[in-house]
């Protein structure tokens, strides 16, 4: 079987698995967030934190809950790293320095999981499990909660109440993320991923059964359980520096495809949840079709760029194999790279810096779309719904009619909030990248010069501001400048958009429904899906094309 055919067959198998999970998982999540009953363990948690899960919140109260909970998470994780040197189970590692502690705390709380450190050489068992793994669960649950609040804004009328943040947070963690992660971790352990709390081992270096001399150090850890929530929660932070290219995290081609499935399944299934909660599954299918069209298109384009045979070396290798694992191959690496950058996962099974010039550009562009196809857990859905509001507004301008979406008028207030949402992240990316290139010291962190070096910096801030977390490699991000600036980009890129999302949800929930007429735009039809795809690509292109032209496009056209 040729490598191209193998890649296509894996893509088909992945689509089939996602299709099988779509309806049952989407319906289940809709029931979770619509139920008025609480599990016993949930009642214990509510009592412990002093929250009343039955109290409805308006958007300012909901936002305060999000921000307060996240602020406590940043503080706790920062202190845990700073105290690592005196904690048990630290594997002898010292405390993490202040700038890196700040960056890592912000990274995991914002669901970004950007790592400017070597996991196996920096973090002990306590920080990994009690700190990073916990944030993998709750940061994902926060994203889903905000998405559900926006869906309630569309579904409800004549009220500003959006539900209860604490109930949404706890239910998302206990009823969705924990059960899925337990099953996924068992599968990963059965397939060879490690799960232990062993210390550091020294092993010899061998090649073809012969000793090469020298020693390597390997440490164990609760890898499979963290790998499971890393993908399911679209987090991305790896136990080891090589991330999902490391055989302890991702041992076989099957686990590679399984991990891609895990990082895509909730973001895609949430479109079904959306359709059920607003009372029209067709509306969910329209959003799903938009996400799937972009995702499949990007996968096809990535495979084409990475399988293109330019020169005898690539012909012999069957594609651009530099930076890719032999056991995984070009096709599966292409699917993983597109899936991880079109979601907010940030996990990698290959090094994106080693992709072809155009292939690396595709990974950057995928993040610059706004992580909406299908996007992160929750953030993908609310980002796509914001784009749907903008697409409806554009359609209204073309026909001279007040735009409406799901029975709600899209007026001046709603458009201002949507416009602020789509402007804040590009502003963060371009301003921070420009400052890093203009100042004398930050460019010293670039391994490469020219277009590829600029792509390294552009990728870093695109990843940080969009809460993706993957890295282009080649950039030394463990400096005070990059630790601080990417940390700020992650903070602003996560929480400022949430302000606009929740404010929009509150505005929509206060409206009374608008009756459907002959002139109402049918947003469940393929025509609207095409309009939405076009709006996403055009807005992104107009925003980022100059920066892309200086980096990956220049490199790709020159090669």
């Amino acid at each position: 079987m040729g490598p191209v055919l193998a890649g296509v067959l894996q893509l088909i198998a992945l689509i089939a698995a996602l299709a099988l999970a779509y309806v049952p998982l989407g319906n289940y999540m809709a029931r979770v967030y619509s139920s008025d009953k609480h599990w016993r363990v949930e009642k214990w948690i509510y009592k412990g934190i002093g929250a009343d899960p039955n109290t409805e919140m308006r958007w300012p109260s909901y936002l305060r809950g999000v921000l307060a909970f996240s602020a406590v998470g940043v503080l706790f994780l920062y202190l845990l790293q700073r105290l690592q040197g005196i904690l048990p189970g630290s594997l002898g590692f010292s405390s993490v320095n202040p700038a890196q502690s700040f960056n890592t705390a912000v990274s995991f709380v914002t669901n970004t999981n950007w790592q400017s450190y070597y996991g196996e050489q920096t973090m002990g068992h306590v920080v990994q499990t009690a700190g990073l793994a916990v944030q993998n669960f709750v940061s994902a649950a926060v994203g889903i909660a905000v998405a559900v609040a926006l869906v309630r804004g569309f579904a409800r009328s004549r009220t500003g109440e959006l539900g209860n943040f604490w109930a949404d947070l706890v239910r998302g963690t206990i009823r969705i993320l924990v059960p899925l992660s337990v099953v996924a971790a068992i599968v990963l352990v059965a397939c060879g991923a490690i799960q232990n709390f062993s210390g550091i081992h020294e092993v010899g270096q061998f090649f073809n059964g012969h000793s090469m001399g020298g020693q390597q150090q390997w440490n164990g850890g609760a890898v499979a359980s963290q790998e499971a929530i890393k993908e399911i929660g679209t987090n991305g932070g790896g136990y080891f520096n090589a991330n999902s290219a490391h055989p302890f995290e991702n041992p076989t081609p099957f686990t590679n495809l399984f991990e891609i499935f895990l990082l895509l399944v909730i973001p895609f299934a949430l479109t079904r949840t959306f359709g059920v909660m607003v009372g029209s599954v067709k509306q969910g299918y329209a959003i799903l079709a938009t996400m799937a069209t972009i995702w499949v298109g990007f996968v096809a384009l990535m495979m084409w760029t990475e399988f293109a045979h330019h020169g005898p070396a690539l012909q012999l290798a069957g594609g651009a194999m530099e930076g890719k694992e032999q056991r995984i191959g070009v096709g599966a690496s292409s699917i993983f790279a597109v899936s991880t950058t079109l979601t907010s996962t940030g996990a990698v099974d290959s090094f994106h810096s080693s992709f072809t010039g155009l292939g690396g550009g595709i990974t950057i562009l995928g993040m610059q779309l706004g992580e909406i196809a299908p996007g992160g857990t929750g953030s993908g859905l609310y980002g796509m719904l914001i784009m749907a509001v903008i697409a409806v507004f554009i359609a209204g301008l073309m026909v001279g009619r007040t735009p409406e979406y799901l029975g709600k008028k899209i007026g001046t207030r709603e458009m201002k909030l949507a416009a602020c949402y789509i402007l804040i992240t590009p502003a963060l990316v371009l301003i921070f990248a420009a400052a890093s290139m203009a100042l004398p010291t930050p460019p010293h962190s670039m391994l490469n010069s020219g277009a590829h070096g600029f792509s390294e910096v552009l990728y870093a801030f695109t990843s940080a501001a969009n809460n993706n977390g993957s890295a282009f490699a080649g950039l030394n991000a463990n400096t005070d400048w990059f630790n601080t600036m990417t940390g700020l980009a992650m903070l602003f890129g996560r929480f400022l958009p949430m302000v606009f999302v929740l404010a929009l949800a509150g505005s929509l929930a206060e409206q009374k429904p608008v009756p459907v007429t002959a002139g109402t735009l049918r947003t469940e039809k393929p025509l609207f899906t095409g309009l939405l795809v076009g709006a996403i690509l055009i807005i992104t292109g107009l925003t980022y094309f100059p920066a892309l032209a200086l980096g990956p496009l220049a490199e790709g056209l020159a090669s």
Side-chain angles (χ1 to χ4, degrees):
M1 182 186 299
V4 176
L5 179 59
V8 172
L9 291 178
Q10 288 186 70
L11 178 61
I12 293 172
L14 177 62
I15 293 173
L18 291 169
L20 288 174
Y22 177 74
V23 172
L25 181 57
N27 288 349
Y28 173 72
M29 289 191 291
R31 291 195 298 271
V32 166
Y33 290 106
S34 301
S35 173
D36 58 357
K37 298 187 183 301
H38 308 294
W39 291 2
R40 180 174 298 179
V41 64
E42 294 171 352
K43 293 179 181 178
W44 293 342
I45 296 173
Y46 299 140
K47 185 176 181 179
I49 64 177
D52 181 1
N54 298 312
T55 300
E56 289 279 340
M57 294 179 173
R58 300 178 70 86
W59 79 264
S61 298
Y62 204 100
L63 176 63
R64 284 195 294 270
V66 171
L67 297 180
F69 178 76
S70 301
V72 171
V74 170
L75 179 60
F76 173 78
L77 190 50
Y78 176 84
L79 293 176
L80 198 63
Q81 294 174 84
R82 296 292 294 135
L83 297 173
Q84 177 175 248
I86 61 173
L87 294 175
S90 63
L91 300 178
F93 297 144
S94 60
S95 299
V96 184
N97 69 68
Q100 195 167 60
S101 293
F102 165 75
N103 182 278
T104 304
V106 168
S107 176
F108 278 77
V109 171
T110 60
N111 199 240
T112 310
N113 297 63
W114 170 271
Q115 294 173 285
S116 62
Y117 60 88
Y118 294 93
E120 63 268 47
Q121 298 176 13
T122 308
M123 303 298 183
H125 293 322
V126 173
V127 175
Q128 288 278 14
T129 54
L132 306 185
V134 169
Q135 288 302 323
N136 282 349
F137 281 96
V138 295
S139 66
V142 169
I144 302 176
V146 174
V148 169
L150 179 58
V151 173
R152 292 191 184 116
F154 284 109
R156 296 180 177 183
S157 60
R158 299 178 181 178
T159 177
E161 296 173 343
L162 301 175
N164 184 284
F165 167 70
W166 304 107
D168 292 338
L169 172 69
V170 171
R171 288 181 178 185
T173 304
I174 299 298
R175 302 192 194 185
I176 299 172
L177 297 174
V178 169
L180 289 177
S181 297
V182 169
V183 174
I186 293 172
V187 173
L188 290 172
V189 170
C191 293
I194 67 170
Q195 180 78 4
N196 56 58
F197 287 103
S198 67
I200 297 176
H201 301 275
E202 286 196 355
V203 297
Q205 295 177 316
F206 294 87
F207 180 74
N208 288 337
H210 300 287
S211 174
M212 301 291 291
Q215 298 286 322
Q216 286 184 315
Q217 289 188 336
W218 294 102
N219 56 288
V223 176
S225 57
Q226 188 155 322
E227 190 75 9
I229 186 56
K230 156 187 150 182
E231 310 295 3
I232 291 172
T234 61
N235 294 286
Y239 217 98
F240 301 97
N241 183 56
N243 207 275
S244 291
H246 199 292
F248 286 180
E249 293 192 24
N250 184 14
T252 68
F254 170 77
T255 59
N256 186 73
L257 197 63
F258 181 61
E259 289 184 14
I260 302 173
F261 168 80
L262 293 179
L263 65 92
L264 291 171
V265 66
I266 288 181
F268 273 129
L270 276 172
T271 62
R272 174 75 180 191
T273 304
F274 160 70
V276 171
M277 292 182 70
V278 299
S280 174
V281 293
K282 291 183 178 180
Q283 297 288 346
Y285 283 129
I287 298 298
L288 171 67
T290 304
M291 292 178 172
T293 298
I294 296 174
W295 176 69
V296 172
F298 270 56
V299 170
L301 192 59
M302 179 67 85
M303 283 191 176
W304 175 74
T305 62
E306 296 304 300
F307 276 121
H309 297 165
H310 299 300
L314 295 184
Q315 290 176 3
L316 290 172
M321 281 299 298
E322 179 188 336
K324 300 180 179 69
E325 286 291 310
Q326 181 66 40
R327 73 182 189 278
I328 295 173
V330 175
S333 297
S334 298
I335 300 171
F336 201 116
V338 168
S339 300
T340 198
T341 50
L342 280 175
T343 63
S344 65
T345 310
V348 293
D349 70 350
S350 55
F351 287 97
H352 297 174
S353 182
S354 295
F355 278 42
T356 61
L358 294 178
I362 291 170
T363 62
I364 298 175
L365 180 61
M367 293 183 290
Q368 290 174 344
L369 291 181
E371 309 274 37
I372 55 176
T377 47
S379 60
L381 178 61
Y382 66 65
M384 182 60 79
L385 292 178
I386 294 289
M387 294 304 303
V389 167
I390 292 173
V392 166
F393 179 75
I394 293 172
L397 291 178
M398 290 190 291
V399 299
R401 177 184 171 89
T402 301
E404 303 165 8
Y405 186 51
L406 300 177
K408 300 296 178 70
K409 287 186 178 181
I410 307 302
T412 304
R413 174 178 169 80
E414 289 75 23
M415 276 310 302
K416 287 179 179 178
L417 293 169
C420 288
Y421 177 93
I422 66 169
L423 289 174
I424 186 63
T425 304
L428 292 171
V429 172
L430 298 176
I431 291 172
F432 280 123
S436 298
M437 296 303 295
L439 295 174
T441 303
H444 295 165
S445 294
M446 294 167 18
L447 178 65
N448 299 279
S449 59
H452 195 82
F454 175 71
S455 295
E456 293 172 359
V457 175
L458 179 64
Y459 192 109
F461 286 106
T462 300
S463 178
N466 285 281
N467 302 130
N468 181 270
S470 64
F472 210 44
L475 180 73
N476 175 23
N478 188 19
T479 66
D480 287 346
W481 169 266
F482 281 105
N483 275 328
T484 304
M485 293 301 106
T486 55
L488 293 175
M490 289 184 279
L491 270 178
F492 296 145
R494 174 72 164 179
F495 296 114
L496 285 180
M498 283 185 175
V499 173
F500 304 126
V501 169
L502 291 173
L504 176 63
S507 178
L508 294 170
E510 292 173 351
Q511 294 186 27
K512 61 181 180 180
V514 179
V516 176
T517 66
T520 301
L521 175 65
R522 301 296 296 274
T523 53
E524 78 280 10
K525 298 293 184 180
L527 177 63
F528 178 72
T529 298
L531 173 65
L532 185 50
V533 171
I536 292 167
L537 296 178
I538 290 171
I539 291 172
T540 303
L542 291 175
T543 304
Y544 288 108
F545 181 78
L548 292 170
L550 293 173
L553 286 177
E555 181 184 0
L557 294 174
S559 60

